[in-house]
Amino acid sequence: MAVNLKGRSLLTLKHYSKAEILFLIDLADRVKAQRRAGEVHQRFRGKTIALLFEKLSTRTRCAFETAFGEEGGYPVFLSSNDIHLGGKETVEDTARVLGRMFDAIEFRGFAQEMVDALATHSGVPVYNGLTDLYHPTQVLADLQTLREATGGLAGKSITYVGDGRNNVARSLMIACAKVGTHFSVAAPDSLQPDRDTVLEAKNYAEESGAEIIISADPAEVLPKSDAVYTDVWVSMGEETKSAERVALLTPYRVTADLMKRTGKASTIFLHCLPAVRGNEVTSEVMDGPQSRIWDQAENRKHTIKAVMLATILAPTELG
Ligand code: CP
Ligand code: NVA
């Protein structure tokens, strides 16, 4: 059956099927090629999007703002200092008002309940631009980058090394399990993904054929990995944990030696960025020949454009 995502929100990729995720990545490839060819499209002409940010952002904000703007739409950036969200006015009431004025809403912040409530009460597509729990638009770019580098997704493998219970690791596990990419986590016991998400991922994986492995020992899961992925040791909002994380995660730093333990020179290195050079990854790896981090950052824009196009427009309007 043809995929039609018009009107859908993207709160977590748990709500998307394998076919829908692949549809979005295919569309991202198409809009990337269009931009490379210098084609100008105005598919969001006359449309507006509200970009709500409680936390800082470089890539996500710029991807939403430029992708919407270059398609002729009008993005409005609103930080917590600008609007009443969750302060004097309830999130439900803000959602109702924004839904009357905008064609779509993006939210980045702390509570997943906030982005869920915006979706429930606004009546327009709402996109999770990162919460404490999930970062779904990030992992669409990660899968696009993996496919560009390796030629596929099903049967390929990503090993995530570091803080295995953060928003990025959790979202990657869900997406990989859905599309059939093997996913391993190497993390100390206290920073491994929560049991419920692992069980849910293993459930999806039964259908897709993905293997989900959680280990405290990088040596167990690194061999043959197509991609090694890491993220910051201290996510936004967890700054008080800094010293504790450095102590726990130093053995999990992605170094050139660790990359060699995959046994394959073709293994790529991925990081959602921003990176703390010298903490979770060395500059040698970030700037080395296996690194695909700049492609990955660029792909944020193409995948986010694809998500907005697919959910705001009808399939016949995608072009
Ligand atoms: N990867 C990512 O979400 O980057 P920003 O925090 O800069 O948006
Ligand atoms: N885990 C990181 C991702 C940043 C894009 C954070 O939440 O800060």
Side-chain angles (χ1 to χ4, degrees):
M1 213 172 67
V3 172
N4 180 359
L5 298 175
K6 185 167 189 229
R8 288 271 292 276
S9 290
L10 175 54
L11 306 173
T12 156
L13 284 167
K14 287 183 190 181
H15 302 155
Y16 279 61
S17 69
K18 174 179 179 174
E20 289 167 345
I21 294 171
L22 295 178
F23 174 84
L24 288 172
I25 299 170
D26 289 346
L27 183 57
D29 283 350
R30 245 160 63 209
V31 298
K32 183 171 184 174
Q34 286 168 352
R35 184 159 162 77
R36 286 279 203 280
E39 288 178 31
V40 176
H41 293 267
Q42 294 287 283
R43 289 168 283 206
F44 291 143
R45 204 161 150 252
K47 301 208 182 291
T48 53
I49 185 170
L51 305 178
L52 275 43
F53 282 82
E54 287 181 341
K55 289 178 177 172
L56 298 179
S57 170
T58 301
R59 280 141 288 267
T60 309
R61 176 186 173 175
C62 295
F64 270 102
E65 204 158 326
T66 58
F68 202 75
E70 71 193 21
E71 289 283 340
Y74 186 68
V76 177
F77 175 80
L78 298 160
S79 79
S80 317
N81 294 329
D82 301 311
I83 55 170
H84 298 292
L85 183 69
K88 186 164 65 184
E89 188 170 63
T90 66
V91 57
E92 291 81 3
D93 290 349
T94 300
R96 291 180 182 107
V97 172
L98 295 179
R100 297 290 182 106
M101 299 196 189
F102 292 94
D103 296 285
I105 299 166
E106 178 276 355
F107 172 83
R108 164 172 288 201
F110 297 89
Q112 180 70 20
E113 293 75 23
M114 194 78 114
V115 74
D116 291 345
L118 286 169
T120 305
H121 299 282
S122 67
V124 296
V126 172
Y127 314 118
N128 178 356
L130 179 149
T131 60
D132 290 346
L133 280 189
Y134 304 117
H135 197 2
T137 65
Q138 175 67 51
V139 302
L140 291 173
D142 302 339
L143 294 182
Q144 183 184 23
T145 311
L146 179 71
R147 192 166 76 172
E148 285 172 344
T150 66
L153 290 175
K156 305 291 180 192
S157 57
I158 298 180
T159 298
Y160 181 99
V161 184
D163 178 9
R165 38 97 272 159
N166 79 7
N167 41 16
V168 170
R170 197 184 281 115
S171 298
L172 259 179
M173 183 163 64
I174 293 162
C176 288
K178 291 239 174 180
V179 302
T181 303
H182 305 310
F183 185 74
S184 305
V185 172
D189 292 342
S190 60
L191 294 174
Q192 292 181 351
D194 63 283
R195 208 172 151 268
D196 286 352
T197 310
V198 174
L199 286 178
E200 210 167 339
K202 286 191 170 166
N203 234 1
Y204 303 140
E206 267 181 33
E207 205 174 309
S208 71
E211 218 182 343
I212 308 293
I213 302 173
I214 314 296
S215 172
D217 180 8
E220 189 193 334
V221 287
L222 279 169
K224 299 204 183 91
S225 301
D226 294 298
V228 172
Y229 196 121
T230 193
D231 182 14
V232 287
W233 288 346
V234 182
S235 287
M236 290 180 276
E238 302 182 326
E239 288 74 15
T240 56
K241 307 262 185 204
S242 192
E244 178 190 319
R245 292 283 167 75
V246 172
L248 271 170
L249 288 167
T250 296
Y252 294 84
R253 175 174 296 137
V254 179
T255 60
D257 270 354
L258 183 141
M259 290 297 292
K260 282 197 193 109
R261 283 153 75 180
T262 68
K264 295 204 304 192
S266 59
T267 304
I268 61 168
F269 171 70
L270 296 174
H271 191 310
C272 58
L273 304 179
V276 181
R277 286 175 179 260
N279 253 15
E280 71 273 9
V281 58
T282 59
S283 284
E284 189 184 3
V285 172
M286 276 184 74
D287 302 328
Q290 290 164 276
S291 175
R292 292 290 179 281
I293 57 176
W294 311 123
D295 292 334
Q296 188 184 3
E298 178 192 329
N299 286 341
R300 298 297 310 286
K301 172 170 173 149
H302 307 304
T303 42
I304 280 172
K305 188 186 275 185
V307 169
M308 295 191 294
L309 285 169
T311 54
I312 295 174
L313 303 181
T316 48
E317 298 171 301
L318 295 180

